[in-house]
Amino acid sequence: MRLQSVLMAGAVTSLATVAGAATISTSASVPSGTFIASQPNANVTNSDSFRTRTNNGGDGRDLGQMFTTGASNLQMDSFTLRLASNSGNIANRSVTVRLVQITSDSGGNNFTFSQNLSETANLPGTFTNGEYMTFDIADTLLQANTTYAFIVGLTTVAVENAELGFNRNDVTAPAGNRFFETFFVSGTSRTSLALSRTGDRELQFWVNAVPEPASIGLLALGGLLCVRRSRA
């Protein structure tokens, strides 16, 4: 969550979203919070990944996951995936994180989307398979009863083997919520972009909401009370 609060005369006078690049962090457990959508289960040892490779003239793909909001509008704060595999040469690489709204979907690969947000961030210098990787983006309003997707991929591609994989679930998932944006690499350019969706697969994921303003205000007020007591 990237929020800025200014405290003056014992009150919260502003609470605004701070724009800028995304941030990526890892942890030993899922960060706590209010989840807009999630698939907490994982039952496949194979992983789904974003990648660029040397085969087929340098093929690659970005990794996407659809999710549908509930009955209320909510601000999205971040999403978390669980690491399953990595190529060993991907630490500190720049990643592009996108949030899109699904505008039409007639099944299979026949869906379209419009982009709501695109940010870049560097992967951590070290991470371990099995950890949880959280992508913290600019707080973004999501409309109720609407389908969105987050998409992650390498910012700069090349004809090389570089890959980061995440856990997935193949049994309880609604059909086709995980998808790839596939492409071929020509030098450092992407060509032949296409969407590819396989039925009954989801990533293991959590989409986190921004805390309610009232909750943030109470936290700020609690901090002020602590300061006043320490000065008393």
Side-chain angles (χ1 to χ4, degrees):
M1 176 180 64
R2 296 202 300 276
L3 295 176
Q4 182 179 19
S5 61
V6 180
L7 304 179
M8 297 181 64
V12 178
T13 60
S14 68
L15 187 63
T17 300
V18 179
T23 58
I24 302 174
S25 60
T26 57
S27 58
S29 59
V30 181
S32 60
T34 300
F35 300 123
I36 299 171
S38 66
Q39 172 51 272
N41 302 313
N43 57 15
V44 177
T45 55
N46 296 328
S47 61
D48 283 341
S49 62
F50 61 80
R51 73 187 189 200
T52 179
R53 285 186 173 176
T54 58
N55 57 308
N56 296 325
D59 71 324
R61 64 192 186 195
D62 294 346
L63 179 61
Q65 170 69 46
M66 296 182 189
F67 61 94
T68 301
T69 57
S72 301
N73 296 347
L74 287 171
Q75 292 265 1
M76 179 177 170
D77 169 68
S78 61
F79 62 91
T80 299
L81 304 173
R82 192 168 190 186
L83 287 163
S85 62
N86 70 86
S87 58
N89 61 339
I90 203 165
N92 296 312
R93 295 286 290 268
S94 177
V95 170
T96 297
V97 182
R98 289 178 285 159
L99 178 67
V100 302
Q101 181 177 332
I102 306 301
T103 52
S104 68
D105 187 358
S106 55
N109 299 333
N110 302 308
F111 62 95
T112 61
F113 55 77
S114 60
Q115 186 162 285
N116 292 52
L117 174 144
S118 178
E119 296 186 331
T120 59
N122 288 336
L123 291 167
T126 58
F127 44 81
T128 304
N129 296 340
E131 290 183 322
Y132 296 84
M133 181 170 283
T134 296
F135 300 78
D136 192 345
I137 61 175
D139 299 339
T140 304
L141 178 65
L142 304 185
Q143 300 297 321
N145 302 312
T146 303
T147 301
Y148 294 88
F150 55 79
I151 306 172
V152 290
L154 292 168
T155 303
T156 302
V157 299
V159 181
E160 62 172 338
N161 287 318
E163 186 167 13
L164 192 62
F166 301 93
N167 284 358
R168 72 169 193 255
N169 186 289
D170 279 5
V171 174
T172 61
N177 279 346
R178 191 276 288 134
F179 64 91
F180 298 126
E181 261 193 322
T182 61
F183 54 86
F184 289 99
V185 182
S186 176
T188 57
S189 300
R190 301 172 184 233
T191 62
S192 303
L193 187 67
L195 294 171
S196 175
R197 179 163 55 167
T198 304
D200 295 337
R201 286 188 180 182
E202 280 199 334
L203 297 174
Q204 185 182 24
F205 75 96
W206 296 261
V207 176
N208 204 21
V210 176
E212 293 292 336
S215 301
I216 299 173
L218 288 173
L219 288 172
L221 181 60
L224 284 174
L225 290 174
C226 290
V227 171
R228 287 180 177 177
R229 286 177 180 173
S230 66
R231 290 177 177 176

